[in-house]
Amino acid sequence: MAGKKKVCIIGAGPCGTSALFHFDQISDSSTEVVCYEKSDTWLGLWNFTWMTGTDEFGEPCHGGMYKHLWSNGPKEGLEYPYYTFTDHFGKAIPSFLPRPAMRDYLEGRLVKKSKSDLKRFIKWNTSVRYVRYNKKADDFTVTTEDLKTGHTVDTNFTHVIVAVGIFNTPDKPYFEGIETFPGRVIHSHDFRDATQFKGQRVLVVGAKYSAEDIALQCLKFGAKSIVTSYRSSPMNFKWPVGIEERPIVQTIEGKVVHFLDGSSTEVDSIILSTGYKYKFPFMEDNLRLSSSRTLYPTSLYKGSLWLQEGNKKLFYMGVQDQFFSFTMFDAQGLWICRYITDTLPNKLTNCDEMKKEARQWLQRCRNLKGNIEQIDFQADFIKDLSDGTGYSPDAPKANKFFHKWDSDKKANIVTYRDQQFKSLYSGTETAPCTKPWFQNFDDSISQFIKR
């Protein structure tokens, strides 16, 4: 394979397809790209499935999407610079989209803006079982399994991009007595429909985005009451009647849950919105990223290039905590593509210099305080990734939308999705919502764009 590059992309979600999109745009004849996707469609967690636990092949269900989910960030902060929401829908729409409309937009970019049919690069229903680095040959052996036939194949690649995301392996804490609880206990990864909790008293354990949204979803669709439980600090929103916060669970006795502050309450169901573990079991030990959830994981140059084994030919995508998400993945995918194809101006190759730069970012990350500093840190991260790649210099300016979003949530957690923004790229003013989010029970595309 001397002189020719062969790139393996693991996962065809929003990250993997962004890398694939940019390889297609550059059209480098000396680079071959293969993408492995374990399901039969692309865009990862933006696909809804009724299945939980394991899928039709006995594989762990990758996605944790649920019915009635709406984006929890304004579309103007997630918008592709070269393919706006107005480009896709042909009209102004509200700033917060239901899942089907968001997925439709993401797919529109892949279909309408690509130079060729991206699906031809993807091997569907194929799971990556193992990735090892061959030091002597300076390449990787990727072992894959066709889930339909069970056939296993080894293929060698010069470069590997891990793009499976970080929201697929649930973190499930133990609480004393939880095995005695007579009701339903699930992780948010297996949450599929809030209507299943209608009339119930629900405990939601956690204090991050999924806990916040699932608590609101359950109340919206008829739960009797919701108690959220936090380990370190409360969310401190102005919750509507029916939702309250308490400190961490201490013990569970039957239906009675006891909390750290000495209070207790009866509940009918428990939802563990306790996050995810960074798990890449298919990677060889010295290639495997290990991290807690953070805006800048260790051992990665530009938050992307693996600095340990692999001779600077292994990359991780989308392993950061996220505000910008799609534009960050897009900028990252372009940077990786340009690095691999040697089309990156002033490309740094000295590993010591890379590690020094990564340490500087890590130190800044550790010193961040509050959402505004974190948002601006990620804006600067996107700016750094975009330097010299040709990615839109306007993308980091979306931090102003997330500043407002953060303020809107603090003002009213129920109505923040009803607020309006203006596109950085098209200048389009947001269309007003036909109904407030909390009163809108129809999340179909046709209803959403009907106005």
Side-chain angles (χ1 to χ4, degrees), residues 3-7 19 22-33 158-159 161 312 315 333-345 347 389:
K4 186 170 178 69
K5 301 180 178 74
K6 189 172 182 180
V7 181
H22 288 295
F23 276 111
D24 183 60
Q25 294 292 305
I26 289 177
S27 300
D28 178 14
S29 61
S30 67
T31 304
E32 178 187 350
V33 181
T158 59
H159 299 77
I161 301 171
K312 303 186 291 294
F315 304 83
L334 178 57
W335 183 87
I336 292 171
C337 178
R338 290 208 177 280
Y339 191 92
I340 291 174
T341 58
D342 295 317
T343 57
L344 187 68
K347 175 180 173 180
T389 66

Side-chain angles (χ1 to χ4, degrees), residues 201-218:
R201 300 163 297 179
V202 181
L203 170 65
V204 178
V205 181
K208 297 294 184 182
Y209 296 132
S210 63
E212 160 201 317
D213 197 54
I214 286 174
L216 288 168
Q217 288 276 352
C218 286

Side-chain angles (χ1 to χ4, degrees), residues 42-103:
W42 53 16
L43 295 175
L45 58 76
W46 287 92
N47 296 293
F48 172 77
T49 176
W50 60 269
M51 288 183 280
T52 60
T54 56
D55 63 17
E56 67 269 36
F57 300 112
E59 297 285 303
C61 281
H62 187 79
M65 181 57 64
Y66 46 90
K67 290 181 182 178
H68 317 300
L69 177 138
W70 290 59
S71 63
N72 64 349
K75 73 181 194 303
E76 290 78 10
L78 315 172
E79 190 170 43
Y80 296 114
Y82 50 85
Y83 188 68
T84 67
F85 283 91
T86 304
D87 290 336
H88 182 73
F89 289 104
K91 60 167 71 175
I93 59 171
S95 283
F96 293 82
L97 282 67
R99 181 202 65 83
M102 183 63 82
R103 189 195 181 283

Side-chain angles (χ1 to χ4, degrees), residues 112-216:
K112 296 177 182 179
K113 297 299 289 185
S114 296
K115 285 187 174 180
S116 63
D117 179 8
L118 295 184
K119 289 185 177 181
R120 68 190 177 93
F121 300 106
I122 304 174
K123 294 187 180 296
W124 308 102
N125 297 305
T126 303
S127 182
V128 172
R129 294 304 189 200
Y130 200 66
V131 177
R132 71 176 183 272
Y133 176 62
N134 308 305
K135 199 163 192 176
K136 188 174 181 181
D138 190 25
D139 66 5
F140 300 86
T141 299
V142 179
T143 303
T144 59
E145 180 185 351
D146 183 321
L147 296 174
K148 286 188 174 181
T149 66
H151 185 54
T152 301
V153 176
D154 285 347
T155 309
N156 281 22
F157 293 89
T158 59
H159 299 77
V160 172
I161 301 171
V162 181
V164 299
I166 55 174
F167 302 117
N168 47 65
T169 305
D171 188 358
K172 299 180 180 179
Y174 173 77
F175 298 104
E176 183 183 343
I178 195 168
E179 64 274 10
T180 72
F181 184 69
R184 186 179 180 194
V185 181
I186 64 168
H187 189 275
S188 58
H189 190 70
D190 293 329
F191 179 84
R192 291 293 182 267
D193 192 340
T195 61
Q196 296 173 355
F197 301 92
K198 185 175 182 178
Q200 292 191 14
R201 300 163 297 179
V202 181
L203 170 65
V204 178
V205 181
K208 297 294 184 182
Y209 296 132
S210 63
E212 160 201 317
D213 197 54
I214 286 174
L216 288 168

